[in-house]
Amino acid sequence: MEFLSQSIWLVPLFPFLASILPGLGSLFLPNYIRSFRRVSSFVSISFLTLAMLISFHSLWQQVMVSPIHRCLWSRVIYENIILEIGYLNDPLASLMLVLVTTIGVTVMIYSNSYMYHDEGYIRFFCYLSLFTASMLGLVPSPNLIQIYIFWELVGMCSYLLIGFWFTRPSAANACQKAFVTNRIGDFGLLLGILGFYWITGSFEFQNLSERFFELLVRNQIGLFPASLCGILLFLGPVAKSAQFPLHIWLPDAMEGPTPISALIHAATMVAAGIYLVARMLPLFEMLPPVTDTISWIGAITALLGASIALAQKDLKRGLAYSTMSQLGYMVLALGIGSYKAGLFHLITHAYSKALLFLGSGSVIHSMEPIVGYHPNRSQNMSLMGGLGEYMPITAITFLSGTLSLCGIPPFACFWSKDEILMDSWLHFPPLGFIASSTAGLTSFYMSRIYLLTFGGIFRGYSRRESAEDSFLIPIWGDSPSRRNGIDRFSDGIGKSVSIPYPKESDNIMLFSLVLLAIPTLFIGFLGVSLSQERIDFLSHWLHLSINSFNNYSEDFVVSLPNAIPSVGIAISGISICYTLYGSNTRLGQELDFNFIDYASKYASLPFSNWSHHRGYIDGFYHSVFTKGLIFSARFLSFMDQWIIDGIVNGTGILSSFGGEVLKYTGGGRISSYLSLLVSCMFLSLPYSYII
């Protein structure tokens, strides 16, 4: 047991090996690649399960004994630069390891069924294992350099998985957009890391805050350069966690397989971006301009993401903007110093959002054989509706995730979001107003997503197209009639026509949904105080981390009355949404294909175009940066081709012409030389006369 508690380095090693073994097998034994399909998933799930067990044991040791393990294996010494490689295992790291491994195992079990008929099945699990290994390597990193290395590995894996179906142009463009946008943030992160090393002379988390505090007390460092370094370092989490203004890659990242969307939104964006902000928070709190920037960026992102999600028709993109908004809540909480509330919402949101994305994958998987395999159709909520009748387990689990994000007790996100709202009002009322407004918008758009997907009646054939016109060539290997329920009706001349309807997903996918529904319901109680000491389990636990903040919670009985305003906001948003989209309304009963467009405009008239155009931010970037770069490139190409090359080529042409002239004048005849001499003399006479 002692070996396990000090061998946290095995956690990222196991999934890393799982990413290599199937790849080597398919490389050296290509003739047996079909037999490796189940083996690759078994190896990936088994190895990550071992990593999960080690993470749970480390967590248990942290709870019972409360040790902080810090191990450094080697160091690189060059003059005054010292780089140490190892791991740091404190309560914060243990918490993140458990979160990533549990969600990762669930996503892999789900993917075993979801991706089984895909030709890139083995490649998918290799990428997925490497992706998980990168996140698990980032979490216990003891210094900024080691974090940066795994940070870039996470970015590389995101690029590979978002563009997994790279033959589709939209997927290829999406992975490039994500890669370029994150490189902007990563460049700022690198500058910030180097800047803090220049200030403190250390990359270690434990030394950074202490040395910086000493320099600040002695007045040996200016506030402006230190704040600039902090903001530059914060650019990394801004891009990785899709915060304004580097959020534009997130909705396009939905081009990847749905299990990847679940892992990116539930684990990657918090295990990287939010986690780094939490690690650096002791230092950031000494720099008020940095914390103010963090809090306002979080507030703006939360409100922006919620407003854009109001009228989205794409199921996954609606959830993507929801993630952007909820991550804004976490950044806001950390910016105002509410360390426990931010990490609490990180935990509750991770399980809720993983459940919602895997639930959306179940819906998409069922809709594809009916409406087509293009995302514009299979993810379009205009073509859904009434799926609760055909997919009851998916509907119930999706409803639990929806209620959690809306902030309805006793679901998980209620406890963490309510704490952020209270802390925001206490810190600065305008921030509290933005956070509360975002909570109302959240309950509206999440209820809208649920009602359009599972409420009302099925709209898959609402365009009066025949069953045959609705199908594209299936890529899952099964015919629609075998995967979906079939109704038969007569076309009026005695001919029986089969019409498929959605059907519940298989047991493996449903098992993953039920598994995630459990923490979505109960994990919120970790952050609730049930004793008179007003110290809940999560606060006490995080206090033992190297980031030792004093975090206290209200008593459970006292907190419920204080939560009435936030619950009222959530219920108001749900009620307004049900009034517009509920099954008993005229809009809910309408069969016309375009009724969703009408409902969206009617329900959120000021935001319909705003939501459709993504807040006009993408268009602004395209006009200013993309077109500006294209114009600059064309202008420089013109300058290079006609000015720079023109001067060089003109000189060459003149030299060549002069050489040709001299070739004919220099023939070796004395008469030619005399003629040239006399001609030059006559030409110089006017000049001599003027002088």
Side-chain angles (χ1 to χ4, degrees):
M1 290 296 110
E2 185 67 21
F3 170 75
L4 288 178
S5 63
Q6 298 181 3
S7 301
I8 205 69
W9 55 272
L10 292 173
V11 174
L13 180 63
F14 279 129
F16 179 73
L17 293 176
S19 69
I20 295 177
L21 296 178
L24 292 177
S26 60
L27 179 64
F28 293 107
L29 300 171
N31 296 330
Y32 300 94
I33 191 170
R34 289 189 176 273
S35 61
F36 287 152
R37 293 176 68 86
R38 288 296 187 188
V39 173
S40 62
S41 62
F42 176 77
V43 170
S44 298
I45 295 173
S46 300
F47 278 36
L48 188 57
T49 302
L50 291 175
M52 181 183 68
L53 295 176
I54 297 175
S55 300
F56 269 111
H57 180 267
S58 173
L59 178 65
W60 179 254
Q61 290 293 109
Q62 297 280 343
V63 172
M64 300 303 295
V65 187
S66 304
I68 296 179
H69 293 288
R70 185 171 180 265
C71 180
L72 300 175
W73 291 318
S74 62
R75 59 178 60 190
V76 179
I77 302 177
Y78 178 74
E79 295 182 355
N80 294 327
I81 300 177
I82 301 177
L83 297 179
E84 296 176 321
I85 301 172
Y87 68 85
L88 171 65
N89 186 26
D90 65 346
L92 177 59
S94 298
L95 179 69
M96 297 302 300
L97 290 176
V98 169
L99 186 144
V100 173
T101 52
T102 51
I103 293 178
V105 168
T106 309
V107 168
M108 283 188 177
I109 294 173
Y110 181 92
S111 303
N112 185 35
S113 175
Y114 189 89
M115 298 294 295
Y116 183 69
H117 294 285
D118 195 283
E119 293 182 356
Y121 181 85
I122 297 178
R123 177 167 58 94
F124 176 83
F125 272 94
C126 289
Y127 290 170
L128 188 58
S129 296
L130 183 60
F131 192 31
T132 310
S134 302
M135 289 186 286
L136 295 175
L138 183 149
V139 169
S141 297
N143 55 63
L144 287 171
I145 290 296
Q146 192 170 327
I147 271 196
Y148 187 78
I149 294 172
F150 285 105
W151 188 282
E152 292 301 320
L153 281 175
V154 169
M156 181 196 72
C157 295
S158 300
Y159 171 81
L160 294 174
L161 288 166
I162 293 171
F164 182 78
W165 291 317
F166 55 86
T167 54
R168 196 163 63 197
S170 57
N173 294 332
C175 68
Q176 294 175 25
K177 187 175 183 179
F179 186 82
V180 172
T181 305
N182 277 274
R183 295 293 71 73
I184 297 173
D186 292 355
F187 181 65
L189 173 63
L190 180 60
L191 292 179
I193 291 173
L194 296 177
F196 278 120
Y197 179 79
W198 170 68
I199 294 173
T200 64
S202 175
F203 294 112
E204 305 295 322
F205 289 120
Q206 289 186 313
N207 298 332
L208 273 173
S209 301
E210 297 174 0
R211 294 187 182 181
F212 187 83
F213 179 74
E214 293 175 1
L215 293 172
L216 206 60
V217 170
R218 297 173 184 173
N219 258 344
Q220 295 180 350
I221 182 64
L223 185 62
F224 176 76
S227 299
L228 180 61
C229 292
I231 293 174
L232 286 173
L233 191 144
F234 178 60
L235 275 180
V238 165
K240 192 71 72 180
S241 296
Q243 299 295 288
F244 174 83
L246 299 179
H247 65 280
I248 56 172
W249 64 272
L250 186 62
D252 298 283
M254 297 302 98
E255 292 290 339
T258 303
I260 292 307
S261 302
L263 194 60
I264 288 176
H265 287 252
T268 307
M269 300 172 72
V270 294
I274 306 300
Y275 174 76
L276 181 58
V277 177
R279 274 289 186 217
M280 295 295 295
L281 194 58
L283 191 150
F284 287 161
E285 286 198 325
M286 303 178 205
L287 301 170
V290 177
T291 54
D292 291 342
T293 301
I294 293 174
S295 59
W296 278 105
I297 288 292
I300 293 171
T301 304
L303 183 60
L304 178 65
S307 64
I308 296 178
L310 285 177
Q312 290 292 319
K313 291 197 298 183
D314 187 288
L315 175 58
K316 287 176 63 177
R317 289 194 177 186
L319 295 176
Y321 281 113
S322 171
T323 300
M324 171 184 163
S325 179
Q326 298 304 309
L327 290 174
Y329 269 127
M330 302 174 204
V331 173
L332 167 62
L334 294 174
I336 62 177
S338 187
Y339 177 73
K340 178 253 179 174
L343 294 179
F344 187 21
H345 196 57
L346 182 155
I347 300 168
T348 58
H349 170 265
Y351 290 103
S352 301
K353 190 52 62 70
L355 174 61
L356 289 170
F357 265 106
L358 295 188
S360 70
S362 177
V363 170
I364 294 167
H365 197 257
S366 182
M367 290 291 295
E368 283 175 332
I370 300 174
V371 300
Y373 290 88
H374 196 281
N376 290 343
R377 296 181 62 83
S378 61
Q379 298 172 195
N380 191 344
M381 290 184 288
S382 302
L383 298 176
M384 299 177 187
L387 296 184
E389 177 183 354
Y390 307 103
M391 311 175 67
I393 299 178
T394 300
I396 293 173
T397 54
F398 198 95
L399 178 62
S400 65
T402 301
L403 294 177
S404 177
L405 255 66
C406 289
I408 301 298
F411 293 93
C413 288
F414 158 73
W415 307 103
S416 56
K417 184 186 293 186
D418 182 69
E419 193 167 337
I420 293 175
L421 294 181
M422 288 192 296
D423 291 347
S424 300
W425 279 106
L426 292 174
H427 181 80
F428 191 50
L431 290 176
F433 178 77
I434 294 175
S436 299
S437 302
T438 303
L441 296 178
T442 301
S443 61
F444 178 87
Y445 69 71
M446 286 306 305
S447 302
R448 175 180 176 273
I449 289 175
Y450 182 83
L451 290 175
L452 293 183
T453 305
F454 297 99
I457 58 177
F458 184 61
R459 300 180 295 271
Y461 299 115
S462 59
R463 295 187 74 176
R464 298 182 179 88
E465 54 190 10
S466 65
E468 293 182 358
D469 293 336
S470 299
F471 299 121
L472 297 177
I473 299 174
I475 61 174
W476 299 103
D478 293 340
S479 64
S481 61
R482 282 187 286 142
R483 293 187 63 248
N484 295 74
I486 292 180
D487 285 354
R488 296 183 179 273
F489 70 94
S490 175
D491 61 358
I493 57 175
K495 181 181 178 181
S496 179
V497 180
S498 299
I499 292 188
Y501 277 87
K503 185 181 179 182
E504 188 66 273
S505 299
D506 59 52
N507 292 332
I508 295 178
M509 295 171 65
L510 294 179
F511 172 74
S512 301
L513 296 179
V514 174
L515 206 61
L516 286 172
I518 297 173
T520 299
L521 181 59
F522 295 109
I523 203 168
F525 291 101
L526 287 177
V528 179
S529 175
L530 300 176
S531 62
Q532 295 182 352
E533 287 82 4
R534 296 179 59 190
I535 301 178
D536 59 88
F537 172 75
L538 186 61
S539 297
H540 173 71
W541 191 21
L542 292 176
H543 178 70
L544 301 174
S545 170
I546 63 170
N547 298 15
S548 57
F549 295 90
N550 292 321
N551 295 288
Y552 298 96
S553 300
E554 289 185 323
D555 184 74
F556 176 75
V557 178
V558 178
S559 64
L560 287 180
N562 293 337
I564 292 176
S566 64
V567 176
I569 292 173
I571 294 176
S572 300
I574 295 173
S575 302
I576 295 172
C577 181
Y578 188 80
T579 302
L580 296 168
Y581 293 96
S583 58
N584 295 326
T585 63
R586 182 179 65 84
L587 295 177
Q589 295 172 348
E590 182 62 55
L591 277 175
D592 182 50
F593 177 77
N594 293 318
F595 91 94
I596 299 299
D597 295 330
Y598 176 77
S600 298
K601 292 179 181 179
Y602 178 73
S604 51
L605 187 60
F607 297 103
S608 56
N609 291 330
W610 170 271
S611 179
H612 177 70
H613 295 286
R614 306 183 186 184
Y616 301 98
I617 297 174
D618 287 60
F620 173 76
Y621 286 170
H622 179 73
S623 300
V624 174
F625 296 110
T626 306
K627 290 185 177 180
L629 287 173
I630 292 174
F631 174 79
S632 300
R634 289 176 177 173
F635 177 75
L636 292 175
S637 176
F638 173 82
M639 292 287 293
D640 180 68
Q641 184 177 359
W642 296 102
I643 305 300
I644 299 176
D645 284 356
I647 294 174
V648 176
N649 294 337
T651 303
I653 292 173
L654 289 176
S655 300
S656 177
F657 178 76
E660 289 293 327
V661 172
L662 292 176
K663 181 178 68 174
Y664 290 103
T665 57
R669 296 181 180 180
I670 298 177
S671 58
S672 300
Y673 296 153
L674 291 175
S675 300
L676 179 62
L677 181 61
V678 172
S679 300
C680 291
M681 290 175 62
F682 278 107
L683 290 173
S684 62
L685 284 177
Y687 178 74
S688 301
Y689 178 77
I690 293 173
I691 294 176

